[in-house]
Amino acid sequence: VKKSEVHEMTTENGMMTMRPLAGGLVVPAGKTVELKSGGLHIMMMGLDEPLLEGDYRKATLRFKEAGTVEIEFVVEAQGADHKHSDTNHAPQE
């Protein structure tokens, strides 16, 4: 992955939009934040190979104060159609 960002998907005036989360993602101590399709998620750009639905992948999350955390995630199909509000990236279909 060449670049990854935390994105937020919202509905505004009946249109689903996706954009980078301004200021990053805050995870309060002792709390859980769920990343999922249709809400907060990680957008990966510049992949070396395609991600296939059902694949398990590993990633490293870097936190400002808590350091790094190794995770494993399953690749899921993208949910609803949406318009990506950041013109540097093509809409995902």
Side-chain angles (χ1 to χ4, degrees):
V1 175
K2 302 221 182 328
K3 182 178 180 181
S4 60
E5 300 173 338
V6 176
H7 280 212
E8 178 178 38
M9 187 175 286
T10 58
T11 301
E12 299 171 13
N13 300 322
M15 173 78 76
M16 292 203 64
T17 60
M18 181 173 40
R19 65 179 55 96
L21 192 60
L25 178 63
V26 175
V27 181
K31 300 292 182 181
T32 299
V33 174
E34 184 177 10
L35 301 176
K36 62 182 180 178
S37 180
L40 295 171
H41 59 278
I42 298 174
M43 175 64 72
M44 297 177 189
M45 297 155 276
L47 298 170
D48 295 327
E49 60 186 51
L51 297 175
L52 302 175
E53 184 176 1
D55 281 356
Y56 282 85
R57 298 294 179 114
K58 293 183 179 185
T60 302
L61 302 179
R62 290 185 180 90
F63 295 91
K64 182 177 179 180
E65 295 182 24
T68 61
V69 175
E70 301 293 324
I71 64 164
E72 185 175 67
F73 64 92
V74 64
V75 177
E76 296 178 353
Q78 186 167 346
D81 291 334
H82 63 275
K83 176 185 173 204
H84 197 291
S85 63
D86 183 343
T87 57
N88 293 324
H89 309 294
Q92 301 290 317
E93 296 184 5

